[in-house]
Structure formats: structure tokens, C-alpha cells
Amino acid sequence: MSELLDFQDAFVAAMAGDGSRLSPWLAQEPDGLAGLTVYRNTIARGCVDALAANFPTVLSLVGEDWFRAAAARFAREVPPTQAALLDYGEDFPAWLDRFPPAHDLPYLAGVAHLDRLWTEALFEAEAPVLVAGAFTALSPEDLAGTRVTLHPAVRVAVFEAGLPSLWVAARRGSESLELSGSPEGLLLCRPGSSVAFRVIGPADAAFLTACRAGLPLAEAIGLAAEADPAADLQTLFATLIADGVFRPLDNGTPT
Amino acid sequence: MSPTAGLGLKLDHLAEALAESAAGLWFEVHPENYMSAGGPRLAALTAVRERRPLSLHGVGLSLAADTDPDPTHLDALKGLVDRFEPFVVSEHLAWSTHRGLHQPDLLPFPRTRTALDRIAGNIARMQDALGRTVLIENPSLYLPLTGHAFDETDFLAALVARTGCGLLVDVNNVHISAFNLGYAAEAYLDALPARAIGEIHLAGHSPDDGGSGLLIDTHAAPVAEPVWALYQRLIDRIGPRPTLIERDDSIPAFSVLMVERNRAQALLMACEAIHV
């Protein structure tokens, strides 16, 4: 093993608390340990700041002190594996779900999951968007057999309780945060230069899930009607097109 | 073109950055913050690049790790270099990856012959992958290590000689490291190979609020007067070079940063008049 790697092993061990490992390389031990604290703090801060940027709704719900303490602990247990931290924290929602101090806040992991989807939507690839007139040239039979593909930035999450409304309210800075008991979904997309989101019902969720699975439009519409017989499916589809959630059709003919 | 002064780009200042009309202004970013498939950040950087020269200043390639640079990271960097055609690409004389994990900081090491071989090889790998030479920045140091076979200036000069890379001199880091480790910043600056220096960084620092007596490279304050004095000394010797004002915390208004940037610009223009 090289002397450079020996040193780096000792340095990392020293930052984790075993300062004696660095003794062979330290000129003045007490001063050396003060310097080590500077590095340790900088690393912790880099990780915590990245998590704060990626989980702003969690931060707003639990407050700065709770968040930074939890994030620092997460960073020690699940350190970054890449230098680009804009994506850091993929495991944070699941980790919060297991984090005992979060058990008083049973919705926190779900909120973190929605923050994570927001970050994913923000950094996804660019792609053109289906325009409303795209279907006018199709016969009703062709339309029924058409498959529409979701834009890469689209994310959909469905919850048994009304977590999406709570997340949206918290994201908009609302003070009154109530968790309703009815099932809800959240749709996130990136139609322009920012991430847009809205709470959706079971018909939208079923429709988008069917599109994601590659089913033809007729089947997707059937599943949406089944999920919510009262839904206005024409308006539902038109609104999703206006949201910018679909890619343009591959070609005018069904496959 | 005469070397001019630039600013670290803050996306919160995007509209002002795009509207600013100052002659010679350029911007610098950390490529790690733009390593995504798409999204508004990349769109913002595209808009900036349409108007201004850009510098990519890497913080995560970990050239002083005892391993080759992460190929995924290098590919992403290459993609940004090809897309944005920066006038300079730089990295640090430091490590941050260790056995597959990333420590987001710029960490020190003993400057041995083994380290020189490894880092020269990594710089060559970086330059080969990017198809261009890069600048290497001197770090801020907090730990009085033993076992150095080279002074930092000799180590940097050896990297220049071996790889053809240039140097990015962070004058604030020179000031901090000299203070923390007890050597003369002036002698350090005077020992750097003038022709290799392709860019200069100026930033603010803060005393450690943990009470250690160390100065910390926080980038959270205006450039300190002793750092301006060292900067003047450096450009008096080597001539004007592209100079960046870095600010990453306690970020003031764009116009406040422009005042510091314009101070550097004025010093460069005065220096240019003498060095022609």
C-alpha cells in the first residue's frame, strides 16, 4: 500500500475520532487536532448544506436545529459517493423513516420523498413537449391506439393519506398544515424553467401510471374512469397536455 | 486581450449578471454544481455564456487521491467543457475522495515524491481526457504536517514542469496557509514560477469561531487588505493575470461584489500600463 494511501486512511480515521492515527504526520499534536476540526466541520457543513438545499420542505417543518443535527448524522452514516452534491440524499427519505427522533412526525419521510422527487424533476434531461394540436390529424381509432410517453422530468407519487396537500402547503409557506385522510397524488413536471406541481386525484394518477407503463390511450382512459367514475376525462387529458407532461408523438400512426 | 477581472457566478444574481455591462467581466462556476442531465441551472449558465467568457473551477476531481480520477466525474466535466468552451479549466492540489466515498473539502497530504508521481499522473489523465491544459490551485492549509519532501512552491513548479499544467494562485489561500502554518506569504509568492500562472483568486477569510486561532478560508467576507497587498505584490512581479473575486457565503448584493471586482480590474489596468 502506498504512503499516500496510508496517510489518507489515517486522516479519515482521525476525522472520525481516532486522532492518534495521524501522529506520525503531525508536527505539533495539539495544533494539529485544531486543524483537523476545521476540516471535519467543513466536510459536515458541505453535506448538511447540500441536504438543506435538496430537502427544503423537511427543513421548514422541523426547523434549522433539528434538521442540521439529523442531516449531519445522516452524512456520517451515508456519506456522499460523488463530488457532485446536487443529487445528494437519495437515501435520506428512507433513513428518516428509520430515524427514531422522527417517529413523532410520521409524515416526515413522505415529505422527504416528495422533496426528493422535486430535485429529480429539477435536474432531469431536457425534452420537447407534446402540443395540444398533436391529435387533431388522428382518426378516433388511431387516437385510441396511440401511446403517449411521459416527459423525463415527470414524477408521480400516490399516498393513502393527504400528504401531497400538506407538502404543497408547506412548500408555499402555509402555517396551517393538516393531514387529511383521503388518498391523494402529486404530479411534478418541468414545463419551463422551473418545477411545477399540483395535487391530483385517483383518475389522473391511474392515467399517468398507465402511460408510464406504455399502455395505449384507450386503456389508460379506461383505467382512469375505473379509478374515478365521476372524473371528466376530456378535461383531465387536456389539462395534463397543458401541464406539459407528455413528449411529442413518435409519429402519427399507432403501433 | 488584456487580462481582466471576473466574479464567481451566483444564480441568485442571474438577472444582474446578465444585465451587467462592465467591460472585460467574466464569470467562474464550480462544474460540480452543473453536472445534471438538464434543468434550469444549465439553461442559466448557457445564457451567461452567450454574453461572457466562463471559467470552470473544479472542486471534486480529487487529484491528490491515491487513485485515478473518477471516470464518471471526468466524463461529466468533459461534457461541460465541450458545451461551454471555458477560457480556463482549473482544479485543486488536494484530495476529497477516499475508498469510494467523497469528503466535500480540499484535504492536505504530505508532499512526497510518491505524491508528486501520483498527482502528476492524475493531472496528465485530466488533461488528456479534456484535450487541454488545466490550472492547479494552491490549497488553504490548517494542519502542520511533517514528512514533506518539497516546499509547496517547489511541488507546484515540479507539477508544471512534468505535466505542462499552469497554476491558479489563490492569494487568500497563500495568506491563510502562511498564517496558520507560520511561514512568509511574500516569500511563497515570490517563489512561484511566474510564466505558469494563468489565473489569480481573491477571497475573504474569517478567524475560526471555535477559538483555535486559525484563519479559515470561508469566502464569507470581503477580500482583506493584507490579501490585496499580496495581490499587488504578485502582479507587480508577474504582470496582470485574469483575477477572480470569490464569494460563497454571506453573499451581498451583486453591486457590492462588483465594487470588489472593479477594484481588481483597476489594479490590473494599472499593472498592464506598467508591464507593456
Side-chain angles (χ1 to χ4, degrees):
Chain A
M1 198 163 66
S2 88
E3 61 185 32
L4 186 56
L5 189 57
D6 278 346
F7 170 79
Q8 285 162 351
D9 284 343
F11 191 92
V12 168
M15 280 196 297
D18 186 3
S20 65
R21 288 277 302 276
L22 259 190
S23 298
W25 288 278
L26 284 185
Q28 310 141 330
E29 193 117 0
D31 293 352
L33 295 180
L36 207 57
T37 304
V38 174
Y39 290 112
R40 188 186 293 124
N41 291 346
T42 304
I43 289 166
R45 184 161 177 211
C47 295
V48 170
D49 285 351
L51 292 167
N54 287 347
F55 296 93
T57 322
V58 175
L59 172 58
S60 75
L61 290 178
V62 300
E64 191 84 22
D65 291 348
W66 197 102
F67 185 88
R68 296 192 80 85
R73 190 153 158 186
F74 171 77
R76 284 194 298 275
E77 292 179 23
V78 191
T81 55
Q82 309 170 36
L85 295 182
L86 43 75
D87 200 30
Y88 180 47
E90 185 177 5
D91 299 326
F92 191 54
W95 183 88
L96 274 179
D97 201 31
R98 300 189 304 268
F99 183 49
H103 289 168
D104 293 342
L105 307 162
Y107 50 81
L108 205 58
V111 168
H113 177 63
L114 293 178
D115 275 347
R116 171 70 193 173
L117 295 184
W118 189 92
T119 299
E120 289 179 9
L122 184 67
F123 293 123
E124 264 294 357
E126 309 292 337
V129 165
L130 180 82
V131 293
F135 296 104
T136 49
L138 297 185
S139 68
E141 297 76 35
D142 287 351
L143 184 61
T146 297
R147 290 169 169 83
V148 288
T149 313
L150 301 184
H151 187 276
V154 168
R155 295 292 183 279
V156 178
V158 178
F159 290 84
E160 285 176 14
L163 197 77
S165 291
L166 184 143
W167 183 85
V168 168
R171 197 92 184 178
R172 293 185 174 144
S174 169
E175 297 283 320
S176 64
L177 300 173
E178 303 246 334
L179 192 62
S180 84
S182 51
E184 274 181 0
L186 189 78
L187 167 65
L188 301 106
C189 53
R190 203 182 71 217
S193 62
S194 59
V195 176
F197 48 80
R198 65 181 172 91
V199 174
I200 56 174
D204 284 278
F207 186 80
L208 290 164
T209 305
C211 294
R212 174 87 79 202
L215 300 179
L217 269 183
E219 278 188 54
I221 289 169
L223 288 165
E226 210 172 289
D228 180 5
D232 171 357
L233 296 176
Q234 204 156 5
T235 304
L236 180 153
F237 190 39
T239 307
L240 288 174
I241 291 173
D243 283 332
V245 306
F246 302 115
R247 284 174 181 267
L249 302 177
D250 276 347
N251 50 49
T253 54
T255 51
Chain B
M1 196 186 83
S2 308
T4 57
L7 265 186
L9 179 66
K10 301 290 132 200
L11 288 177
D12 287 348
H13 294 159
L14 179 64
E16 291 136 300
L18 292 174
E20 177 59 50
S21 63
L25 176 65
W26 51 274
F27 289 101
E28 183 167 288
V29 297
H30 297 320
E32 289 76 10
N33 293 337
Y34 297 85
M35 288 180 177
S36 64
R41 269 192 210 179
L42 282 167
L45 196 59
T46 303
V48 169
R49 181 65 188 93
E50 281 166 4
R51 291 162 178 80
R52 296 291 181 178
L54 185 69
S55 157
L56 292 183
H57 179 52
V59 293
L61 201 54
S62 194
L63 293 170
D66 191 32
T67 182
D68 291 2
D70 173 4
T72 308
H73 189 94
L74 205 45
D75 275 357
L77 182 60
K78 166 81 170 150
L80 291 170
V81 168
D82 289 348
R83 176 167 171 181
F84 290 101
E85 300 179 326
F87 74 98
V88 59
V89 178
S90 53
E91 250 295 349
H92 292 82
L93 182 65
W95 60 284
S96 49
T97 52
H98 175 258
R99 298 190 184 275
L101 298 179
H102 181 77
Q103 329 269 344
D105 197 3
L106 299 161
L107 301 172
F109 59 90
R111 292 180 301 269
T112 60
R113 189 154 291 281
T114 316
L116 181 65
D117 290 344
R118 168 42 85 177
I119 296 166
N122 281 352
I123 293 172
R125 287 178 191 91
M126 178 184 187
Q127 295 187 141
D128 288 349
L130 300 183
R132 60 187 292 163
T133 57
V134 301
L135 306 181
I136 299 300
E137 179 182 332
N138 57 296
S140 56
L141 298 172
Y142 307 95
L143 205 53
L145 296 179
T146 58
H148 294 304
F150 299 84
D151 286 343
E152 192 168 274
T153 50
D154 292 340
F155 197 87
L156 288 166
L159 291 173
V160 169
R162 284 223 206 163
T163 69
C165 74
L167 299 179
L168 193 176
V169 179
D170 188 315
V171 178
N172 183 53
N173 286 355
V174 172
H175 174 75
I176 289 173
S177 300
F179 178 87
N180 289 342
L181 303 190
Y183 55 81
E186 291 81 1
Y188 179 104
L189 286 178
D190 293 351
L192 290 168
R195 285 176 46 175
I197 299 171
E199 187 184 339
I200 300 171
H201 274 183
L202 299 174
H205 56 262
S206 319
D208 182 7
D209 56 18
S212 66
L214 296 168
L215 291 181
I216 303 185
D217 182 30
T218 50
H219 297 188
V223 178
E225 289 306 321
V227 173
W228 282 112
L230 289 171
Y231 174 60
Q232 186 68 61
R233 180 189 182 98
L234 178 63
I235 60 174
D236 282 350
R237 178 171 76 88
I238 69 168
R241 298 299 149 86
T243 299
L244 182 84
I245 303 294
E246 287 184 296
R247 186 68 175 261
D248 295 306
D249 208 343
S250 305
I251 296 166
F254 182 77
S255 59
V256 174
L257 294 178
M258 279 302 290
V259 170
E260 282 193 289
R261 180 267 170 193
N262 291 340
R263 179 172 173 182
Q265 179 68 30
L267 295 175
L268 286 172
M269 288 169 72
C271 179
E272 178 86 18
I274 293 166
H275 273 81
V276 284

